[in-house]
Amino acid sequence: MQNKRLHSLLLVLISIGILLALIYYLYYNADHYHNLLNVSALDVFWLFVVSFAFQLFNSIQNTYVYRAISSPRFSQRDGFLLTTASSLANQLPLPGGIATRGFYLKRRYNLSYAKFASSTIALFFLFLAVNGFVGLGVLSYWTLFQKTGTFIILWVGNLFMLAGLLVFQIPISRITIPEKLRKPVEQAIEGWHLIGANSRLIGQIISLQSVLIVLLAIRYWLAFHMLSQNITIGQALLFASVTSLTQLVNILPGGLGAREALVGSVAAVMGVDPVISIAAVSLERLVTTAMIVLTGGVSTIIIGKQLAENTLDH
């Protein structure tokens, strides 16, 4: 118990430190950003539209998945409500969105927490691989047709993400690995057994994940444009592809700080100003968070009523 309290306290202190560092960083460079700022009402409108489209396609993806593993009764309306409500919960420290989804699916569709957890971990590795594949596609195009730099570190990083698929092939029963790694690997393999046999579902997941990467790239492209930075769609796609890694370090609300650091690092490798990159991601976060609060707040109220009615029915 004492160790858990110390661990929680450490996470809180790290969170506060990262948040204060980010605030100071943005404040220190505020004058520089102000001179670059080129925001119009139309830019903000399109960022809202793309953010809503992202939520919509994400909800379609979730609908396919949860309909397959929980119940055929899981509707597109349920998918949208759950997606937006869990996105709002993700603005809390640690994986609040995952807890929201697990609780909802258990209460409304009687999906076991074990089944939900294993499928969630399997999906994470699948999403990671799709993002890595998209990143490698961009790098390959640059190398073959634009003769740009090799960006070795980006090749390695995206290959690492693509290699996430190998987790499903680990002979876990025949090898010895640390217990802390064994459990999530076992859950990932169990989750893959739940969804991997459904080739149609896998095709739907991969297709929609690719659409989500493109939509996130457009969000970044718009945010950079608001700061007078004309990045290419290929650069925006690379920024979007690495964003999934923030789920590994989701300490602050919505991965605050982690996403900015990752995009800034990738930007530095590609020769894009990392300072402006961090500001652009922060600007994108500001607008999209407003959309999340709006749709997620309404969805949370509706879901609360659904669960209350479901309890009364039982």
Side-chain angles (χ1 to χ4, degrees):
M1 181 65 70
Q2 187 68 24
N3 288 336
K4 287 184 178 180
R5 289 179 179 176
L6 289 174
H7 180 68
S8 299
L9 179 61
L10 181 61
L11 286 178
V12 170
L13 292 175
I14 292 174
S15 300
I16 294 173
I18 294 174
L19 182 59
L20 290 176
L22 181 60
I23 292 173
Y24 174 78
Y25 182 84
L26 293 174
Y27 173 78
Y28 184 79
N29 292 280
D31 291 340
H32 182 51
Y33 302 147
H34 184 267
N35 293 332
L36 294 171
L37 206 58
N38 181 30
V39 180
S40 67
L42 186 61
D43 290 331
V44 175
F45 169 77
W46 280 116
L47 192 48
F48 265 104
V49 169
V50 177
S51 297
F52 182 78
F54 186 93
Q55 290 184 330
L56 182 60
F57 279 96
N58 194 14
S59 71
I60 294 172
Q61 185 185 65
N62 287 329
T63 299
Y64 287 144
V65 172
Y66 297 137
R67 186 178 290 165
I69 68 173
S70 64
S71 169
R73 295 185 296 109
F74 191 92
S75 66
Q76 179 58 57
R77 178 175 181 268
D78 287 340
F80 184 79
L81 292 174
L82 185 56
T83 297
T84 51
S86 60
S87 293
L88 179 60
N90 274 333
Q91 306 312 303
L92 301 171
L94 303 178
I98 293 177
T100 299
R101 295 185 190 196
F103 181 76
Y104 177 84
L105 292 168
K106 173 65 175 177
R107 290 288 298 274
R108 189 162 174 82
Y109 292 102
N110 201 32
L111 179 68
S112 70
Y113 290 123
K115 194 173 182 180
F116 169 75
S118 60
S119 60
T120 299
I121 295 174
L123 285 170
F124 168 74
F125 283 108
L126 181 58
F127 294 159
L128 199 66
V130 174
N131 285 30
F133 181 79
V134 170
L136 289 172
V138 173
L139 292 171
S140 298
Y141 177 82
W142 285 351
T143 301
L144 293 174
F145 299 103
Q146 295 189 351
K147 309 300 181 182
T148 58
T150 53
F151 304 121
I152 296 298
I153 191 170
L154 295 182
W155 278 97
V156 172
N158 282 281
L159 281 170
F160 169 78
M161 290 193 289
L162 182 60
L165 291 176
L166 298 177
V167 170
F168 304 135
Q169 307 301 321
I170 295 176
I172 193 67
S173 61
R174 299 199 300 270
I175 62 174
T176 302
I177 60 175
E179 193 60 32
K180 287 185 178 181
L181 291 177
R182 175 175 290 275
K183 185 175 180 180
V185 170
E186 287 178 342
Q187 288 179 308
I189 295 172
E190 289 171 4
W192 183 247
H193 289 158
L194 288 173
I195 63 175
N198 190 337
S199 57
R200 181 181 179 184
L201 175 63
I202 296 301
Q204 291 169 334
I205 292 172
I206 292 174
S207 299
L208 287 166
Q209 183 64 16
S210 300
V211 172
L212 291 175
I213 295 171
V214 171
L215 289 173
L216 182 56
I218 294 173
R219 281 161 49 181
Y220 286 153
W221 184 88
L222 287 168
F224 274 85
H225 176 74
M226 291 179 185
L227 288 175
S228 306
Q229 302 302 301
N230 295 318
I231 65 169
T232 67
I233 193 63
Q235 290 172 321
L237 281 169
L238 274 177
F239 294 151
S241 71
V242 301
T243 301
S244 61
L245 291 173
T246 59
Q247 296 180 45
L248 296 173
V249 287
N250 189 21
I251 299 173
L252 284 178
L256 181 63
R259 185 146 57 108
E260 286 78 359
L262 270 173
V263 172
S265 299
V266 173
V269 172
M270 292 191 297
V272 180
D273 190 333
V275 175
I276 296 177
S277 301
I278 292 173
V281 175
S282 300
L283 182 60
E284 181 270 339
R285 180 191 292 279
L286 181 65
V287 176
T288 55
T289 298
M291 172 63 72
I292 289 171
V293 171
L294 177 64
T295 57
V298 174
S299 295
T300 299
I301 294 172
I302 296 174
I303 282 178
K305 291 180 179 180
Q306 281 184 340
L307 294 179
E309 293 171 358
N310 194 61
T311 300
L312 291 175
D313 291 341
H314 287 79

